[in-house]
Amino acid sequence: MYSKEDLENLKLKAILYLHSQRGQYSGYQECSVIYRNKSSSYFNNIMRSGRRGGNGIMATYIKDNNGDPQCPINNNLDGLFFSCNTDFDTGMPPEHSPFGEKRLCIDAYEMLFLDDHRMYFSDFYCFNSNKRGHYVNIVVTTPGSEADDFCKQHLVAISRKKNPFIYCRRGSKTPRVSCGVRVEIFFTDDVNIKELLREELASFEDCECTGYSKPNGLPKNLNCPHCNLEESDDSDTESCSDSDDSNSVPSYQYSPQNSWSWR
């Protein structure tokens, strides 16, 4: 399992990867909703009332082995995955998904930035280095929860107002997400869908299901030069601060002597 120092280095690799992106992949896009794709039966069971139903509560469950096999949250933390990125042309979530034909969309600001949640960097990985498709996983916790205690011990905290993956400037209600990686949120609280629907903060929509997901997740590509740690990844790096002192996205610095092997 990665140490916090390992995760700091993995986070830096993700930042360097973002800095290497060009064109439409180098900027940020508005993130009005986060969304979760599953089968219709999955959501029907959640929305069903009674002893056999979820009564509208989407319950967390254990994180699988998807991504880096050394990720500390694998088989250790309960949560729910949500996607953030949208189509460049439409600004909407993609029309298809391998995870299911039903999509739950939730207001991103209300879900991630309105309450006093905390964010942690947990993973950076890809499945095929020959295609664009690197992922960054961000864990969102409630302060004082068991999940938050675990993350404080094992993960790297990032600022909600100032980090290079997903952030919301002070005074704004429109989060922005990086175009250079696919940002996924691992939300560690149960979600009351019925309440969100009643408050018009969530909605369901249909999409095309293409492919399928593997039950225990897919392992990362261990040959990718961008998202794998090397034995030489150590303390030669300089500052990488996520402080809340500014409304701007931070300028991350790194040592030139190490950057050649991380691009």
Side-chain angles (χ1 to χ4, degrees):
M1 186 172 76
Y2 282 147
S3 67
K4 292 184 73 170
E5 182 180 2
D6 292 331
L7 283 180
E8 285 281 7
N9 286 327
L10 193 62
K11 185 183 76 167
L12 182 56
K13 278 183 168 287
I15 294 167
L16 295 175
Y17 179 78
L18 289 181
H19 284 187
S20 73
Q21 300 301 286
R22 297 293 182 265
Q24 63 182 356
Y25 298 100
S26 64
Y28 289 81
Q29 58 185 180
E30 291 187 355
C31 175
S32 59
V33 299
I34 59 175
Y35 55 94
R36 177 173 171 83
N37 284 86
K38 286 290 184 181
S39 65
S40 296
S41 60
Y42 170 84
F43 286 117
N44 289 340
N45 289 334
I46 290 173
M47 301 305 292
R48 183 178 297 116
S49 300
R51 290 183 299 174
R52 295 186 178 182
N55 296 291
I57 304 297
M58 185 164 56
T60 61
Y61 53 90
I62 197 73
K63 163 72 169 66
D64 62 15
N65 290 313
N66 197 74
D68 197 306
Q70 300 300 317
C71 179
I73 69 173
N74 288 359
N75 300 303
N76 285 318
L77 197 63
D78 289 352
L80 298 164
F81 267 114
F82 292 87
S83 298
C84 299
N85 299 82
T86 58
D87 184 272
F88 285 119
D89 296 326
T90 66
M92 303 296 292
E95 296 180 354
H96 51 80
S97 169
F99 301 108
E101 73 282 1
K102 184 66 71 173
R103 174 178 293 150
L104 173 68
C105 298
I106 304 177
D107 185 285
Y109 177 78
E110 294 280 341
M111 190 74 163
L112 304 179
F113 296 96
L114 183 61
D115 294 329
D116 191 26
H117 289 122
R118 289 175 177 157
M119 286 187 174
Y120 297 87
F121 172 88
S122 68
D123 207 355
F124 173 49
Y125 58 92
C126 74
F127 301 120
N128 185 343
S129 59
N130 295 321
K131 298 180 180 179
R132 291 189 181 273
H134 275 79
Y135 294 78
V136 164
N137 287 174
I138 304 297
V139 179
V140 176
T141 67
T142 297
S145 64
E146 290 186 10
D148 189 56
D149 290 341
F150 176 89
C151 292
K152 283 192 292 186
Q153 182 177 355
H154 296 286
L155 303 184
V156 175
I158 59 175
S159 167
R160 296 190 302 167
K161 297 183 178 68
K162 188 181 179 185
N163 77 76
F165 309 118
I166 182 170
Y167 68 94
C168 191
R169 291 191 177 100
R170 189 176 291 111
S172 173
K173 291 187 177 182
T174 306
R176 299 182 67 81
V177 64
S178 171
C179 298
V181 292
R182 300 178 184 180
V183 177
E184 294 195 333
I185 301 295
F186 191 66
F187 196 79
T188 57
D189 290 336
D190 293 346
V191 175
N192 190 330
I193 299 178
K194 283 188 176 180
E195 181 178 337
L196 290 170
L197 291 173
R198 184 167 54 249
E199 296 177 356
E200 298 183 350
L201 297 174
S203 62
F204 282 110
E205 62 184 34
D206 296 325
C207 68
E208 181 183 359
C209 183
T210 56
Y212 60 92
S213 59
K214 191 174 179 180
N216 199 34
L218 294 171
K220 76 182 296 182
N221 174 13
L222 297 178
N223 296 314
C224 177
H226 301 292
C227 59
N228 285 285
L229 293 181
E230 302 164 5
E231 291 184 2
S232 60
D233 290 350
D234 52 30
S235 58
D236 289 339
T237 57
E238 297 177 5
S239 65
C240 187
S241 173
D242 287 331
S243 68
D244 283 328
D245 295 337
S246 168
N247 283 338
S248 63
V249 177
S251 176
Y252 291 86
Q253 300 175 351
Y254 57 96
S255 65
Q257 64 265 32
N258 281 350
S259 64
W260 65 269
S261 63
W262 291 355
R263 289 184 178 276

